[in-house]
Amino acid sequence: MPPNRRRITSSSERERKMGQIKRIHEMLVNKEISCVELTKKYLEAIENSNKELNAYITVTPEVALAQAAKVDEKLAAGETIGLLEGVPMTLKDNISTKGIETTCASKILTGYKPIYDATVYELLQKEGVVMLGKTNMDEFAMGSSCETSYYGGAKNPHSLDHVAGGSSGGVASAVGGNLAVYGLGSDTGGSIRQPASFCGIVGLKPTYGAVSRYGLIAYASSFDQIGPITHDVEDAAIVFDAIAKYDERDSTSRGSEPALPTLDNDIRGKKIGIANQYLDGVREDVKEAVLQAAKVYEDMGAEIVYFDLPELKFALPVYYILAMAEASSNLGRYDGIRYGYKAEHYNGTHDMICRTRSEGFGKEVQRRILMGTYVLSAGYYDAYYKKAVNLRGAIVEAFDRAFMNVDVILAPTAPVTAFKSGYLFGEETDQLEQYLSDICTVPVNTAGLPAVSVPCGVDREGLPIGMQLIGKKFDEKTILNLAYRYEQAEHKTIETKWGVKL
Amino acid sequence: MVTREDIENIALLSKLFVDEKDLDSLTEEMQKIVSFADTINSVEVKSGDFDNINNLSNAFRKDEVKESYPVGEILKNAPEQAEDHFLVRKRA
Amino acid sequence: MKYELVAGFETHVELQTNTKIFCSCTTKFGGDPNTHCCPVCIGLPGTLPKLNERVVEYAIMAGLATNCEIAEIAKMDRKNYCYPDLPKAYQISQYDKPLCEHGYIQLSNGRKIRILRIHIEEDAGKLIHNHGDTYVDYNRGGVPLIEIVTEPDFRSIDEAKEYVEKLQQIMRYIGVSDCRMQEGSMRCDVNISVRPEGSEKLGTRTEIKNMNSITNIAKAMEYEYERQVDLIESGGEVVQETLRYDDATGTTSSMRSKEDAHDYRYFREPDLVTISTPKEKIEELRSRLPELPEQKFARYTEEYGIPEKDAAQLTKYRSISEFFDKASEGLKAPKTASNFIIGQIFRRLETEADKEAFDVKTTADQLNELCRLLESGKLKNNLAKTALEKMLDSGKAVTEFVSESDMAGLDDSTLTEYCQNAINAMQAAVADYKSGKEKALMAVLGNVMKQSRGRADAPSVIKKLKELIGQ
């Protein structure tokens, strides 16, 4: 590069570790590997490892290979390809795919093949996606361990005794286990960030409204948001930029600003807030890792500001009341008439609907439907639903106030590292523990903010620890910029033994 | 206090069958969740103006007809169908 | 003891938009089963509603036409209940922030029926029950509705009938609905209670659902009134319940079973955003409203001196009043046009549907031309009548049937000549007339008419004959 074109920033002086997407892009462009060969590698890896990781519910080799062949044709014809073109990926099984079974990991949707594509999948198809299959999750995204899946939970690629997290456990397990380069998950109360953190990878929950929800099978409509789970922050930015588009089919959609152009910006002078309440009840080693990351930021020239956010203490019940209320309504439509599972033996329509739902939904889903119905029912509405809506307003305002003084908020993604499989639903475990474990992630969904989880260490057992950077609305570019600079400085990602080695 | 009757009532509204034998344990479970939810009632909060998360308004569609789906697609996932209708047989 | 009827109405009116309320499928009535459907209106998982702007506009126009206040901020809510005709298991409707509130419709007896609210919502699909099997067709699912809710202001069945007719008339005038009760594009629920005359306290009410004709509404109300009075008189109590009216037996019966416990668990529809209608937009919609039937009625009776009975007929359908307005434009006596419409034209329109369609060959402009010729005296009344018949048969203009000379009429010397000819020819009749037989002159008149080939004007002829005979 001629000297006069050299950028005069500190960043240009350091070596940047390229993300997986760009590496694959170069491999394809340089014809080191064909897209079909690459895709076959991933399909083979899935074949070999999925029995153990249980990351995929449905694998779609025909779809993936056909998509890959198209990319190879373009390359052979000397056409240029986009960054995401030909990069093998996966979708959480609550994202609708035309003609491809989409189950939400529920018995009630067995055999359901949507007749339309979710907007995100449409957008990615335009980018030349290679879709390997649909990944495991907690049933209807209701859970924090992937264990409420009708198909059994996905396993953590760092330790098969541990869960991959939830609800997007399948995507996290697949990406962490190199059974896909990246995946799209959904985050209602932490379902992208927590499994990303448990599996030692990156998970971005965009601002509510940044990415279209059209085609995402709803859990709680005013919280749900689709986002990428990737190996690297750079990958997350690339995928985010491709899907954060306004969609006329989603009234709550707005799109967002691209994050990739400013990914490597200098972060000197950035103000990073740490809310004391975010550290309450967090396991000591996790807290340490996050505070250590704060030091790294300080070394890079950012300013750390401690502050109070007392409203956090009621974010969890507010979230659960509202999410369950919305869920009870969203899940009313599964009645055995138009799609999915239908009870075999019944007497009359009412009986058929009740049997279908009682047989088709798992226990946790039924529990949340009942609870959601309860908080909306006559006599309880004011005390629970209405009050929770008001408190949600208070939480939004509290974050607004905080962001008047800081650019981003740094917090642990989860109070602990990955649970032992079966722990959450064990005899000795209080049933509320599952809900309580979402304490760090739900405030963001309650306020509709963006947040990215990045690996920041490991615990004694070698399980990854994650931290999250929370941003202002539609300011994904700032949190990704800060996450990228941390990742490049620290390289905390640990490879697993699974899957495709690039 | 969550009662057995509450559970029976919300189960009916939710179109879910609750086994008689599970009713007590479910009532207890629900009581736990309700007590947890009740913690918000210890907080005093002025009536917030929460509208929708990004305070959006007027996301409208123009009144222009687009082609509907073929009936075959509409019925594609129906567990039972007859004469281009979704069908719920009475059964016994 | 005498009992007073107290009733209120909830009326569902299907809006005449091109597309459904939340998707781009057509709203056309009928169609093969499940052919007006898409993933959104059959509630496939993951689909989202997108509000049709015209639905909001039509609802606001309906509110303005019924004297409502329009909400600058409104929102959509979910009404949750599980039934096979409702594909999402909730109906998207409006609960505590409807688009329109606090309006009224004034009846001919001067009483105002207060309108509590008008809100928008989606229609459900259609169920066909056959030997216990249920067939489901979602073509109607998602067709936009407004629900118009009144206060319990009705005190008689006649008031109820007039209200429904007025509501139909207004909705059709402003063009938001065809309000065809037989096709289900207008459906009424009536809640009814009775109380001893003079009492202020409301009795326990029952609700009769989904009635599809004014006749049935009247019959059902009548039956239910009698039933409640009998019940109370015999020491019983009215139970609050939902009823269906059976046309065949003319009776009401209870609709609900234990299976449908109802608690709608309304809450904000999170998939839709706030509806904000600034004042300017409301005024813009107001300016789009046509002159309403009430205003037209006042204009016709007060300004034009048209009898109330005729004015009511002219204003019943927008098609007629628009025809009349055009046909009477610039006339000294608009009543002339009214007489032609209510007389000769109506004779050709047998049913109400014919009248509403107002499908006649003659245009309003052609009738206007005819009226002008009449007013200027160029055309005599009897000629005009004959001409209109021919015009209505052929769709041609008046000038096709009436020549210049016809219109010129007869000059005095020609008239005198014809009259003298007739007197000469009919001496016997003239003699009879002279001897006091008034009627004998009619024969002479006939002779003059024959000579003039109908151009002569009877009163002028008689005047001239009397003049000549008297000489």
Side-chain angles (χ1 to χ4, degrees):
Chain A
M1 195 183 280
N4 60 337
R5 288 192 53 198
R6 222 179 129 172
R7 284 185 298 157
I8 322 225
T9 61
S10 60
S11 58
S12 63
E13 285 145 30
R14 282 178 288 112
E15 189 69 15
R16 291 282 176 247
K17 185 174 171 270
M18 195 184 274
Q20 279 207 4
I21 291 175
K22 279 192 176 170
R23 258 186 286 158
I24 286 175
H25 179 70
E26 286 194 352
M27 286 163 69
L28 290 172
V29 170
N30 298 335
K31 306 221 160 59
E32 290 165 45
I33 190 167
S34 77
C35 191
V36 168
E37 282 165 358
L38 179 75
T39 303
K40 279 184 175 159
K41 271 190 163 195
Y42 277 94
L43 289 168
E44 250 166 58
I46 295 168
E47 179 79 37
N48 293 335
S49 309
N50 197 47
K51 264 186 228 84
E52 283 160 294
L53 288 176
N54 202 22
Y56 283 83
I57 294 176
T58 307
V59 187
T60 52
E62 296 85 1
V63 173
L65 288 169
Q67 289 169 332
K70 269 199 216 159
V71 178
D72 282 339
E73 277 170 36
K74 274 182 89 170
L75 285 166
E79 289 176 48
T80 53
I81 58 167
L83 277 179
L84 287 173
E85 201 147 8
V87 179
M89 57 80 69
T90 181
L91 295 172
K92 186 178 183 178
D93 209 20
N94 58 354
I95 296 173
S96 302
T97 43
K98 190 173 170 180
I100 300 167
E101 195 170 350
T102 301
T103 68
C104 272
S106 179
K107 181 182 174 185
I108 211 155
L109 274 176
T110 38
Y112 169 60
K113 290 182 176 170
I115 57 172
Y116 74 100
D117 280 326
T119 297
V120 287
Y121 187 44
E122 253 180 30
L123 287 169
L124 289 177
Q125 280 173 293
K126 280 187 199 137
E127 300 278 336
V129 74
V130 171
M131 210 276 288
L132 297 163
K134 308 291 294 287
T135 27
N136 207 350
M137 55 186 283
D138 280 293
E139 185 181 1
F140 281 99
M142 296 177 183
S144 311
S145 66
C146 201
E147 288 167 298
T148 69
S149 168
Y150 177 59
Y151 302 95
K155 296 288 188 274
N156 194 309
H158 292 271
S159 157
L160 292 180
D161 296 337
H162 290 79
V163 302
S167 66
S168 314
V171 183
S173 174
V175 174
N178 299 302
L179 305 182
V181 179
Y182 71 95
L184 293 188
S186 66
D187 192 316
T188 306
S191 286
I192 287 174
R193 289 161 289 152
Q194 186 254 35
S197 145
F198 281 12
C199 294
I201 48 181
V202 176
L204 170 67
K205 184 258 161 199
T207 311
Y208 186 80
V211 179
S212 168
R213 291 182 295 119
Y214 193 82
L216 171 68
I217 299 181
Y219 160 20
S221 314
S222 74
F223 298 85
D224 295 343
Q225 190 61 195
I226 294 174
I229 293 179
T230 59
H231 277 272
D232 314 280
V233 176
E234 183 185 77
D235 292 359
I238 293 170
V239 178
F240 173 74
D241 289 357
I243 60 173
K245 300 268 160 62
Y246 164 75
D247 178 14
E248 59 175 14
R249 286 173 291 193
D250 177 357
S251 306
T252 62
S253 139
R254 251 200 52 172
S256 193
E257 282 177 62
L260 196 59
T262 54
L263 200 61
D264 199 20
N265 277 10
D266 198 345
I267 62 165
R268 270 176 298 183
K270 291 278 181 214
K271 277 190 175 175
I272 299 173
I274 295 179
N276 297 311
Q277 286 77 5
Y278 256 125
L279 302 173
D280 287 350
V282 170
R283 210 172 66 195
E284 210 51 43
D285 57 337
V286 175
K287 198 194 286 184
E288 265 317 302
V290 174
L291 295 176
Q292 190 56 44
K295 286 214 181 75
V296 172
Y297 278 120
E298 260 180 325
D299 290 346
M300 289 194 283
E303 187 189 335
I304 304 295
V305 185
Y306 286 84
F307 68 104
D308 280 310
L309 199 56
E311 289 80 3
L312 279 185
K313 70 173 179 295
F314 51 79
L316 202 55
V318 164
Y319 163 77
Y320 271 102
I321 289 167
L322 298 179
M324 288 180 186
E326 291 181 16
S328 72
S329 172
N330 284 330
L331 271 62
R333 70 187 67 192
Y334 302 97
D335 59 8
I337 297 175
R338 292 164 300 280
Y339 41 79
Y341 174 78
K342 179 185 190 176
E344 267 182 52
H345 305 286
Y346 59 83
N347 185 11
T349 307
H350 171 78
D351 191 52
M352 185 282 284
I353 295 173
C354 293
R355 276 179 204 278
T356 295
R357 293 167 61 78
S358 303
E359 293 166 15
F361 287 133
K363 215 176 158 197
E364 179 62 25
V365 171
Q366 293 196 34
R367 193 154 40 204
R368 293 194 194 193
I369 291 174
L370 289 171
M371 184 63 196
T373 303
Y374 182 85
V375 299
L376 285 173
S377 62
Y380 301 104
Y381 178 88
D382 284 352
Y384 298 109
Y385 184 80
K386 198 170 164 205
K387 177 88 191 233
V389 169
N390 282 337
L391 285 173
R392 188 175 192 183
I395 291 165
V396 169
E397 282 170 25
F399 272 105
D400 283 348
R401 277 198 303 278
F403 279 118
M404 293 202 284
N405 299 316
V406 300
D407 296 303
V408 301
I409 295 169
L410 175 66
T413 304
V416 290
T417 51
F419 317 113
K420 264 231 146 81
S421 296
Y423 167 77
L424 282 183
F425 299 94
E427 288 283 306
E428 293 100 71
T429 313
D430 190 298
Q431 63 164 113
L432 284 178
E433 190 145 337
Q434 182 188 189
Y435 302 162
L436 296 173
S437 74
D438 293 338
I439 182 83
C440 297
T441 45
V442 299
V444 158
N445 304 77
T446 308
L449 303 170
V452 60
S453 176
V454 269
C456 67
V458 285
D459 70 1
R460 278 184 308 165
E461 293 177 85
L463 293 166
I465 298 170
M467 66 175 191
Q468 58 178 337
L469 291 155
I470 302 163
K472 297 171 190 168
K473 277 184 186 168
F474 301 102
D475 192 19
E476 286 84 1
K477 61 182 188 308
T478 300
I479 54 171
L480 287 170
N481 169 215
L482 282 153
Y484 181 75
R485 294 303 297 257
Y486 173 82
E487 176 195 69
Q488 292 299 325
E490 292 292 294
H491 297 295
K492 290 286 187 187
T493 311
I494 320 149
E495 278 305 319
T496 63
K497 60 172 185 170
W498 305 92
V500 177
K501 298 285 171 268
L502 289 172
Chain B
M1 251 326 258
V2 181
T3 63
R4 282 170 61 110
E5 289 69 37
D6 284 335
I7 301 298
E8 282 173 333
N9 178 44
I10 59 174
L12 185 65
L13 288 170
S14 309
K15 300 266 178 186
L16 290 170
F17 284 139
V18 176
D19 253 334
E20 182 66 30
K21 65 173 168 47
D22 296 333
L23 206 50
D24 283 326
S25 62
L26 193 59
T27 307
E28 201 183 305
E29 274 177 30
M30 292 300 287
Q31 179 58 55
K32 269 193 178 173
I33 308 176
V34 169
S35 306
F36 166 62
D38 262 329
T39 56
I40 65 165
N41 286 310
S42 61
V43 190
E44 269 308 312
V45 67
K46 59 170 175 35
S47 185
D49 293 332
F50 186 78
D51 183 33
N52 63 71
I53 201 82
N54 291 319
N55 293 316
L56 297 177
S57 61
N58 295 356
F60 293 129
R61 180 174 54 76
K62 283 214 171 70
D63 188 27
E64 288 162 4
V65 176
K66 287 189 189 151
E67 208 172 320
S68 294
Y69 275 50
V71 61
E73 287 283 286
I74 292 299
L75 294 169
K76 196 170 185 173
N77 284 288
E80 274 189 276
Q81 52 170 293
E83 293 161 43
D84 289 343
H85 286 81
F86 294 95
L87 175 63
V88 186
R89 289 208 187 282
K90 187 172 180 284
R91 300 250 164 86
Chain C
M1 199 190 295
K2 275 202 137 186
Y3 287 88
E4 182 181 49
L5 169 86
V6 178
F9 269 71
E10 287 175 21
T11 308
H12 286 96
V13 170
E14 266 184 17
L15 298 179
Q16 265 175 323
T17 51
N18 298 322
T19 65
K20 293 186 178 181
I21 182 166
F22 299 123
C23 67
S24 303
C25 289
T26 178
T27 55
K28 277 205 187 96
F29 180 71
D32 289 333
N34 295 303
T35 55
H36 299 170
C37 296
C38 74
V40 175
C41 57
I42 63 164
L44 285 190
T47 56
L48 297 170
K50 186 84 188 272
L51 184 55
N52 180 348
E53 182 163 28
R54 189 164 289 166
V55 171
V56 176
E57 293 177 346
Y58 278 7
I60 292 175
M61 284 165 71
L64 291 171
T66 51
N67 311 296
C68 286
E69 293 161 20
I70 309 302
E72 287 184 51
I73 295 294
K75 66 178 176 80
M76 304 303 296
D77 298 286
R78 289 187 187 177
K79 178 181 182 178
N80 295 284
Y81 66 96
C82 182
Y83 205 62
D85 63 4
L86 199 62
K88 300 186 295 293
Y90 55 82
Q91 178 191 34
I92 304 178
S93 179
Q94 296 190 283
Y95 183 55
D96 56 350
K97 284 186 181 170
L99 279 170
C100 318
E101 283 183 287
H102 312 306
Y104 65 86
I105 285 181
Q106 187 154 17
L107 302 180
S108 56
N109 63 8
R111 293 196 59 225
K112 279 180 181 172
I113 301 299
R114 288 170 299 161
I115 289 171
L116 185 62
R117 55 186 281 152
I118 300 179
H119 69 252
I120 54 175
E121 61 185 26
E122 56 183 333
D123 209 343
K126 200 170 71 183
L127 301 183
I128 301 150
H129 301 284
N130 183 20
H131 300 296
D133 295 345
T134 304
Y135 292 73
V136 195
D137 171 9
Y138 291 110
N139 279 353
R140 201 183 61 188
V143 167
L145 297 173
I146 49 174
E147 182 175 336
I148 303 158
V149 183
T150 76
E151 299 280 3
D153 283 350
F154 296 92
R155 296 292 173 268
S156 75
I157 293 171
D158 282 341
E159 286 183 347
K161 279 157 76 177
E162 188 186 342
Y163 166 78
V164 176
E165 278 168 6
K166 279 224 145 126
L167 198 59
Q168 279 181 324
Q169 190 189 31
I170 294 169
M171 296 304 143
R172 287 170 180 162
Y173 255 75
I174 63 174
V176 304
S177 176
D178 57 16
C179 291
R180 287 188 211 281
M181 295 192 87
Q182 328 78 273
E183 286 182 9
S185 65
M186 183 176 186
R187 302 176 313 249
C188 293
D189 302 343
V190 190
N191 54 68
I192 298 178
S193 63
V194 298
R195 64 183 174 194
E197 217 151 71
S199 164
E200 287 295 309
K201 209 172 137 257
L202 289 172
T204 307
R205 62 176 206 182
T206 58
E207 189 178 20
I208 315 172
K209 282 272 185 200
N210 263 331
M211 283 172 296
N212 57 5
S213 77
I214 293 179
T215 321
N216 278 357
I217 292 170
K219 284 201 271 185
M221 287 178 79
E222 175 106 50
Y223 176 85
E224 188 55 20
Y225 170 79
E226 299 287 346
R227 190 187 71 89
Q228 289 190 14
V229 170
D230 287 351
L231 204 58
I232 294 166
E233 297 257 276
S234 60
E237 257 180 57
V238 175
V239 184
Q240 186 167 344
E241 61 184 335
T242 305
L243 306 169
R244 90 161 59 76
Y245 176 69
D246 183 352
D247 193 15
T249 60
T251 59
T252 58
S253 58
S254 190
M255 261 175 90
R256 294 266 154 80
S257 62
K258 191 179 166 288
E259 280 173 10
D260 348 80
H262 274 246
D263 177 347
Y264 292 126
R265 291 156 285 138
Y266 280 101
F267 74 100
R268 169 91 198 229
E269 165 56 279
D271 289 332
L272 292 167
V273 298
T274 305
I275 303 168
S276 150
T277 315
K279 285 204 175 70
E280 308 81 71
K281 174 76 181 171
I282 297 170
E283 289 317 309
E284 193 253 304
L285 290 169
R286 197 192 300 277
S287 72
R288 272 204 242 164
L289 288 181
E291 192 184 17
L292 294 172
E294 220 165 57
Q295 299 163 324
K296 279 192 193 285
F297 184 85
R299 180 158 60 88
Y300 296 171
T301 52
E302 288 160 24
E303 283 181 37
Y304 297 172
I306 291 173
E308 287 193 1
K309 191 167 156 277
D310 291 0
Q313 293 208 62
L314 289 178
T315 53
K316 186 158 186 189
Y317 302 110
R318 187 176 169 181
S319 50
I320 302 177
S321 67
E322 278 181 350
F323 188 92
F324 167 69
D325 282 338
K326 224 170 163 194
S328 61
E329 215 174 274
L331 297 186
K332 280 187 232 102
K335 196 170 176 298
T336 314
S338 162
N339 288 345
F340 279 126
I341 293 170
I342 289 168
Q344 279 174 274
I345 297 181
F346 269 20
R347 234 171 283 136
R348 292 170 176 246
L349 304 168
E350 282 172 18
T351 64
E352 281 301 302
D354 290 341
K355 285 194 176 109
E356 188 184 359
F358 208 73
D359 186 11
V360 294
K361 284 188 175 161
T362 302
T363 65
D365 286 336
Q366 288 171 341
L367 182 62
N368 185 263
E369 189 185 9
L370 183 74
C371 294
R372 278 170 191 270
L373 289 172
L374 197 62
E375 275 196 351
S376 67
K378 283 186 177 170
L379 203 58
K380 302 302 177 203
N381 206 17
N382 53 342
L383 252 186
K385 277 186 179 164
T386 331
L388 181 56
E389 287 304 321
K390 289 178 182 162
M391 287 160 70
L392 288 166
D393 287 336
S394 66
K396 289 180 182 158
V398 59
T399 44
E400 294 277 330
F401 308 107
V402 186
S403 69
E404 281 297 323
S405 58
D406 286 338
M407 278 186 272
L410 297 176
D411 53 53
D412 195 59
S413 64
T414 318
L415 182 63
T416 310
E417 189 194 324
Y418 288 164
C419 286
Q420 197 54 63
N421 291 345
I423 290 167
N424 297 343
M426 306 182 77
Q427 290 293 340
V430 173
D432 283 352
Y433 171 71
K434 278 184 169 165
S435 67
K437 283 186 185 163
E438 280 278 330
K439 273 194 176 167
L441 199 60
M442 289 301 122
V444 190
L445 168 69
N447 183 288
V448 178
M449 285 311 211
K450 212 171 170 184
Q451 293 179 67
S452 74
R453 297 190 319 279
R455 280 178 298 160
D457 168 49
S460 325
V461 174
I462 288 171
K463 199 169 155 235
K464 177 65 74 182
L465 284 172
K466 284 182 178 169
E467 246 177 63
L468 292 171
I469 295 166
Q471 270 176 357

